[in-house]
């Protein structure tokens, strides 16, 4: 897979994207700080978080090294809010042509959700920057290996079902990065930072093994 695209390079470098579903904007920002402190720089603040756009703006300002994006983007209004707040990528649980066109006008990468080969190809051919394999728990790393046979150039990011124990299997299967929610972005800031450090140790060990 050719990672000449700057966004895909950044996503691959991050390896993990923490999916934040917080009870408030303040909580989302605190979680983001804990994640980055622990080494996870990919942060996706979902619109299921109250005040999500404000949280994204604060994270983008306070944590410039983070690759911060918006998740659960369901309409062009939310997309505009996210882009205005400084989101560097946009994620939906589904493919929406209207959202894709709006994202392209803003020149912000759009990652739609897809699961079947037909859905994946449709999203990729339409212009998705990367395809969110969702829900990842429904298929597993073996599915990615099978998909990458006929579709080796489609960048995939599984979300759902990824945890510390199976992260390496997903990476070995050839995903660009992995979205992690409950296995990473839950608990106190201290617990999130500790989980972040554990996850990044797994990533670094994997990379060292395959150099």
């Amino acid at each position: 897979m050719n990672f000449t695209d700057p966004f895909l390079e950044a996503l691959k470098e991050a390896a993990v994207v923490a999916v934040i579903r917080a009870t408030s904007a303040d909580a989302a920002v605190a979680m983001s700080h804990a994640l980055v402190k622990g080494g996870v720089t990919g942060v996706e603040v979902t619109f299921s978080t109250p005040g999500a756009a404000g949280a994204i703006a604060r994270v983008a300002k306070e944590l410039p090294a983070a690759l911060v994006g918006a998740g659960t983007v369901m309409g062009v209004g939310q997309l505009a809010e996210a882009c205005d707040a400084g989101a560097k990528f946009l994620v939906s649980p589904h493919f929406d042509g209207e959202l894709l066109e709006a994202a392209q006008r803003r020149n912000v990468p759009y990652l739609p959700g897809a699961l079947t080969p037909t859905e994946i190809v449709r999203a990729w051919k339409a212009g998705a920057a990367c395809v969110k394999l969702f829900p990842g728990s429904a298929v597993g790393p073996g599915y990615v290996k099978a998909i990458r046979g006929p579709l080796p150039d489609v960048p995939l990011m599984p979300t759902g079902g990824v945890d510390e124990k199976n992260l390496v299997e997903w990476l070995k299967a050839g995903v660009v990065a992995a979205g992690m929610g409950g296995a990473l972005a839950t608990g106190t800031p201290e617990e999130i930072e500790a989980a972040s450090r554990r996850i990044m140790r797994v990533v670094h060990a994997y990379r060292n093994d395959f150099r």
Side-chain angles (χ1 to χ4, degrees):
M1 189 180 295
N2 184 5
F3 289 105
T4 57
D5 178 88
F7 170 69
L8 287 180
E9 288 181 348
L11 188 61
K12 184 172 186 286
E13 179 61 28
V16 172
V17 174
V19 181
I20 295 178
R21 299 187 185 279
T23 55
S24 69
D26 286 342
V29 173
M31 292 166 72
S32 298
H33 275 270
L35 288 160
V36 173
K37 189 175 180 181
V40 171
T41 57
V43 177
E44 176 189 326
V45 180
T46 67
F47 266 94
S48 57
T49 298
I56 291 168
R58 289 174 58 189
V59 173
K61 181 179 180 180
E62 297 172 18
L63 298 167
L67 182 66
V68 58
T72 320
V73 179
M74 300 296 292
V76 292
Q78 290 180 336
L79 183 145
E81 289 182 39
C83 292
D84 290 344
K88 296 177 182 176
F89 62 95
L90 307 157
V91 184
S92 293
H94 66 305
F95 173 74
D96 185 316
E98 187 178 20
L99 289 179
L100 173 61
E101 291 176 4
Q104 289 175 331
R105 287 195 296 270
R106 291 277 195 152
N107 198 30
V108 178
Y110 174 56
L111 288 70
L115 187 63
T116 69
T118 298
E119 292 170 346
I120 291 169
V121 171
R122 179 188 176 211
W124 178 241
K125 283 189 173 182
C130 176
V131 178
K132 170 185 175 179
L133 187 67
F134 179 76
S137 57
V139 287
Y143 185 75
V144 172
K145 291 180 182 179
I147 288 291
R148 280 180 51 76
L151 305 173
D153 296 324
V154 180
L156 299 172
M157 182 179 79
T159 301
V162 182
D163 57 32
E164 185 178 345
K165 294 179 180 179
N166 63 23
L167 176 58
V168 168
E169 293 307 309
W170 285 106
L171 294 174
K172 285 181 179 179
V175 301
V176 178
M180 298 182 67
L184 177 58
T186 55
T188 66
E190 292 76 18
E191 290 170 336
I192 291 172
E193 181 185 342
S196 180
R197 292 187 187 281
R198 291 196 304 272
I199 290 297
M200 292 315 295
R201 279 199 293 269
V202 171
V203 172
H204 293 322
Y206 164 75
R207 287 174 172 168
N208 288 334
D209 287 343
F210 284 84
R211 280 178 179 170

